[in-house]
Amino acid sequence: ELVLKVRIQNPSLRENDFIEIELDRQELTYKELLRVSCCELGVNPEHVEKIRKLPNTVLRKDKDVARLQDFQELELVLTVSDKNFLFRVPTLSEGSGYNKKASELTY
């Protein structure tokens, strides 16, 4: 297996950690990389504009994927202009630790 580190490219996120994925070395294709990455990150493959090998190389074809080495860092760059729908942050009232009464200060 080839182990890669992937994440969704989103500089507005405070924490944008990588996850590790495994690809079968017998199936090192761009299509398989896209499929596994999207499955693990919960992204629709149709929303991926490109896959970037960090820091600045775009993966375009199977030969590019075949050259990847263990623990290389990749980012999925999404096509959707409003990325917020993928990372919906609950409002304060939806959060489990929010107490409306405690938030109302009286002087």
Side-chain angles (χ1 to χ4, degrees):
E1 292 183 333
L2 174 67
V3 179
L4 299 170
K5 296 165 61 175
V6 296
R7 69 178 180 188
I8 296 171
Q9 186 268 333
N10 190 343
S12 64
L13 287 179
R14 190 170 48 119
E15 290 187 29
N16 194 14
D17 296 330
F18 289 93
I19 63 166
E20 291 182 354
I21 64 166
E22 296 85 25
L23 291 177
D24 185 338
R25 289 189 187 270
Q26 305 303 317
E27 297 182 40
L28 286 182
T29 64
Y30 184 89
K31 184 176 179 179
E32 183 65 5
L33 171 62
L34 180 63
R35 185 192 70 76
V36 172
S37 298
C38 288
C39 181
E40 292 286 335
L41 291 168
V43 173
N44 184 336
E46 294 175 5
H47 294 159
V48 176
E49 179 180 333
K50 59 187 170 184
I51 301 175
R52 177 184 297 132
K53 180 176 75 170
L54 294 179
N56 58 5
T57 304
V58 175
L59 299 179
R60 301 172 297 136
K61 55 191 175 188
D62 293 349
K63 285 186 177 184
D64 297 341
V65 176
R67 285 191 289 268
L68 293 174
Q69 298 177 4
D70 277 329
F71 301 105
Q72 285 197 294
E73 297 177 345
L74 307 176
E75 282 185 335
L76 300 184
V77 179
L78 304 182
T79 57
V80 286
S81 59
D82 183 12
K83 294 180 178 77
N84 293 332
F85 84 95
L86 291 171
F87 304 101
R88 190 170 111 23
V89 178
T91 63
L92 285 178
S93 60
E94 293 175 353
S96 60
Y98 180 73
N99 183 336
K100 183 171 174 48
K101 288 185 180 181
S103 70
E104 296 171 355
L105 299 176
T106 55
Y107 295 96

